[in-house]
Amino acid sequence: MSRIVHRVSRIIGGLSFLLVSCLFIVPHASALTVHPAIQDIEIDPGQTETRTVTLENDEATVQTYVFSIQKFVPKGEFGQQQFLDSSDMSGLPEWMYVDRSEVTLAPGQALSLPITIRAPEDANAGGYYAALFLSRTQAAGEELAMLPRVGILFFVRVSGPAIERLILEDFATDSDSSYAHLPVGFRVSILNEGNVHLAPEGTITVRNAFGSTVAKLRVNAEGGNILPDSRRVYRVAWIKGPVPEGGGYWQGLLRELSNFAFGPYRATLELRGDGFAQPMRSEIAFSVWPWRTFVALVALVFAFVPFFFLAKRLAIMSATAKSDPLR
């Protein structure tokens, strides 16, 4: 009987060890660092341009990567890309050359990879866009769709009489024109009606009711491009500090105190850069009314009013007693 108990104990102990071991196993993820991940190139028709990117294998094992090229077009309003089928090699993909079909990197190894672009003599002026992808080679039993890949985005402009035309479509706050506290979010929507990518820049200046500047915010500080025949929305926030999470009155009061603002404000947008015939300017009004703070102040006033009158009454009684000691 004792042997059976001993064996059962060993089995349970082994299973427990296996379970704990599984809980602490961290799955190994593929990692390849590429720098720079965005290439912005201007090239003349018939010209050849070579750029070098650095690849680094961050894994603990030898890895082999293969290349593929896909054109991309804008998707959505926030700078996303939609990659077209790799069978479409017209335009920029057929201009791009890599001097090898695959690359093998040892653990921690870095490699400089030259990428050449040869624009044909008859290339039309305008923008051309494609991504060079690096994918780890498929292992036995591994699904192709599950393979991670890293992309390098190429924004290529062929010089010539291109069309540069940006239109400011909208400048507004991201919700109502009245807030209880910061942050106040702004939306800047710009349409690119040209045939080249453009990266507008600008500022939003916030002034209070007295005309004093209380905040100056950069628009498109990251230099994000707007592709031809598309619009892009840039979001900018006026915020002073961390925003406490949670619902209820007290959490709301903490949000008002940590990001306090009060009264009417005016926000002035100024945009500049290629694509605008002249600097663009737009202005909107909004207000911040921290009502929870008002309620708290009123409650404090009403809480201290009885004590004030009581203290005043006691002071009068004390003064009367001193002036009339026989009373």
Side-chain angles (χ1 to χ4, degrees):
M1 183 68 178
S2 60
R3 289 183 178 180
I4 296 175
V5 172
H6 180 66
R7 288 182 179 179
V8 171
S9 300
R10 290 181 61 184
I11 293 172
I12 293 175
L15 291 175
S16 301
F17 176 78
L18 179 61
L19 177 61
V20 172
S21 300
C22 291
L23 289 175
F24 285 93
I25 290 176
V26 179
H28 186 67
S30 175
L32 174 68
T33 300
V34 177
H35 180 78
I38 296 178
Q39 295 282 349
D40 203 328
I41 301 171
E42 184 166 358
I43 191 171
D44 295 328
Q47 181 186 359
T48 297
E49 185 80 22
T50 299
R51 293 294 175 91
T52 300
V53 296
T54 301
L55 314 177
E56 184 172 358
N57 179 15
D58 297 327
E59 295 200 57
T61 57
V62 176
Q63 295 294 333
T64 298
Y65 300 91
V66 295
F67 304 101
S68 62
I69 301 174
Q70 289 179 252
K71 293 197 295 188
F72 65 85
V73 294
K75 177 183 179 182
E77 297 183 332
F78 300 102
Q80 309 99 310
Q81 299 87 30
Q82 177 181 344
F83 297 98
L84 305 183
D85 193 276
S86 57
S87 61
D88 183 1
M89 295 295 291
S90 62
L92 184 55
E94 63 181 354
W95 305 352
M96 297 175 63
Y97 299 89
V98 182
D99 62 359
R100 64 195 74 187
S101 60
E102 63 180 38
V103 60
T104 299
L105 298 176
Q109 180 184 358
L111 174 72
S112 295
L113 179 72
I115 302 168
T116 301
I117 297 176
R118 299 171 185 163
E121 294 281 354
D122 58 351
N124 293 323
Y128 298 82
Y129 312 101
L132 175 68
F133 286 107
L134 293 92
S135 305
R136 182 165 51 80
T137 53
Q138 187 176 7
E142 192 172 23
E143 294 185 19
L144 182 62
M146 298 299 292
L147 290 176
R149 64 178 187 171
V150 177
I152 307 165
L153 300 182
F154 284 81
F155 296 80
V156 177
R157 174 172 177 166
V158 175
S159 59
I163 301 172
E164 297 181 345
R165 186 182 301 125
L166 294 178
I167 296 176
L168 173 61
E169 288 190 316
D170 186 39
F171 172 48
T173 54
D174 59 1
S175 58
D176 297 331
S177 59
S178 182
Y179 295 79
H181 55 78
L182 304 183
V184 172
F186 301 98
R187 285 174 49 96
V188 180
S189 178
I190 302 175
L191 176 66
N192 184 353
E193 290 190 335
N195 65 349
V196 292
H197 57 283
L198 297 168
E201 297 179 351
T203 56
I204 297 174
T205 304
V206 181
R207 295 181 175 87
N208 60 20
F210 304 101
S212 300
T213 299
V214 295
K216 207 171 186 68
L217 314 170
R218 290 186 62 187
V219 178
N220 193 21
E222 300 80 12
N225 287 303
I226 310 176
L227 297 189
D229 294 322
S230 69
R231 66 176 43 82
R232 182 161 182 173
V233 173
Y234 298 99
R235 292 187 179 274
V236 184
W238 176 28
I239 186 171
K240 293 182 178 179
V243 181
E245 297 181 356
Y249 172 82
W250 296 110
Q251 289 297 323
L253 179 60
L254 288 176
R255 285 192 288 270
E256 290 181 2
L257 295 176
S258 62
N259 278 279
F260 186 81
F262 172 76
Y265 294 90
R266 300 198 72 83
T268 303
L269 169 68
E270 294 177 304
L271 291 173
R272 58 191 177 276
D274 295 336
F276 294 113
Q278 58 186 8
M280 297 295 297
R281 182 185 175 94
S282 182
E283 190 172 81
I284 58 174
F286 65 96
S287 58
V288 182
W289 304 110
W291 63 269
R292 296 176 185 85
T293 304
F294 296 157
V295 171
L297 290 175
V298 170
L300 285 174
V301 169
F302 276 99
F304 280 101
V305 163
F307 293 100
F308 172 77
F309 282 106
L310 178 60
K312 186 175 181 180
R313 179 64 177 169
L314 291 175
I316 293 173
M317 292 174 62
S318 177
T320 303
K322 289 181 180 179
S323 62
D324 188 3
L326 299 177
R327 188 173 177 179

